[in-house]
Amino acid sequence: MKPWKPIYCALLGLAMSLGTVSVRAAPPEPFTRDFYAAHPEQWLDKQVTLSVAYFSPVKGDFAIDQMEVMDAYTFHNHVDGGHINVVASPEVFARLKTLCGTHVLKKAGWVQTTQIHGIFKQKDGQYYVQVDR
């Protein structure tokens, strides 16, 4: 056997064994839509904190009487956490839009976020957060 063959076989065996290692996705970042949606039953009708980068007009036809609805884009630890509807009175939303903004802001390459608090709810199979103040 030539001297390179044992090394080649050892490296091939190592590569094949590493190929069987399962790859796990990182858990969702806390304070994001993805985090709460991973186990929604745990959060329904409870107070949650969202790390909001910005708000945008709602996509779709989700509505709650006499309330304003916007999509909150969530980020935490520089990781996109998805978007979720946020529901609030027009007066509360005026404050929220001032706090969080309506477009993404970056500082030194990091997405700036603001934490808001509300109740995690569900309507017609869709999750949302209701902010009362």
Side-chain angles (χ1 to χ4, degrees), residues 58-59 61-62 71 85 121-128:
V58 70
K59 294 175 177 82
D61 58 357
F62 186 81
D71 278 336
N85 289 333
K121 296 186 171 240
Q122 181 181 26
K123 178 185 176 192
D124 301 329
Q126 191 166 344
Y127 299 110
Y128 68 97

Side-chain angles (χ1 to χ4, degrees), residues 64-70 86-91 93-94 97:
I64 294 185
D65 290 339
Q66 300 179 3
M67 300 290 264
E68 189 172 344
V69 181
M70 293 194 83
V86 171
V87 175
S89 69
E91 298 80 27
F93 244 118
K97 287 187 267 189

Side-chain angles (χ1 to χ4, degrees), residues 37-77:
H39 300 286
E41 66 285 346
Q42 178 181 347
W43 303 105
L44 277 178
D45 298 319
K46 293 183 180 168
Q47 176 129 357
V48 297
T49 300
L50 285 179
S51 182
V52 178
Y54 65 97
F55 288 105
S56 74
V58 70
K59 294 175 177 82
D61 58 357
F62 186 81
I64 294 185
D65 290 339
Q66 300 179 3
M67 300 290 264
E68 189 172 344
V69 181
M70 293 194 83
D71 278 336
Y73 286 80
T74 62
F75 281 77
H76 191 258
N77 286 333

Side-chain angles (χ1 to χ4, degrees), residues 3-131:
W4 61 269
K5 281 192 176 182
I7 295 171
Y8 175 77
C9 290
L11 288 175
L12 182 62
L14 177 64
M16 289 175 64
S17 67
L18 289 176
T20 62
V21 174
S22 63
V23 178
R24 294 185 201 174
E29 285 292 322
F31 312 121
T32 65
R33 180 252 176 227
D34 294 347
F35 178 78
Y36 297 116
H39 300 286
E41 66 285 346
Q42 178 181 347
W43 303 105
L44 277 178
D45 298 319
K46 293 183 180 168
Q47 176 129 357
V48 297
T49 300
L50 285 179
S51 182
V52 178
Y54 65 97
F55 288 105
S56 74
V58 70
K59 294 175 177 82
D61 58 357
F62 186 81
I64 294 185
D65 290 339
Q66 300 179 3
M67 300 290 264
E68 189 172 344
V69 181
M70 293 194 83
D71 278 336
Y73 286 80
T74 62
F75 281 77
H76 191 258
N77 286 333
H78 206 49
V79 175
D80 182 354
H83 61 93
I84 188 169
N85 289 333
V86 171
V87 175
S89 69
E91 298 80 27
V92 170
F93 244 118
R95 182 181 63 82
L96 291 175
K97 287 187 267 189
T98 300
L99 282 172
C100 301
T102 56
H103 61 279
V104 68
L105 289 176
K106 291 185 178 183
K107 186 172 186 177
W110 287 83
V111 174
Q112 291 193 344
T113 61
T114 302
Q115 291 189 337
I116 66 170
H117 308 283
I119 306 298
F120 188 76
K121 296 186 171 240
Q122 181 181 26
K123 178 185 176 192
D124 301 329
Q126 191 166 344
Y127 299 110
Y128 68 97
V129 174
Q130 182 171 331
V131 178

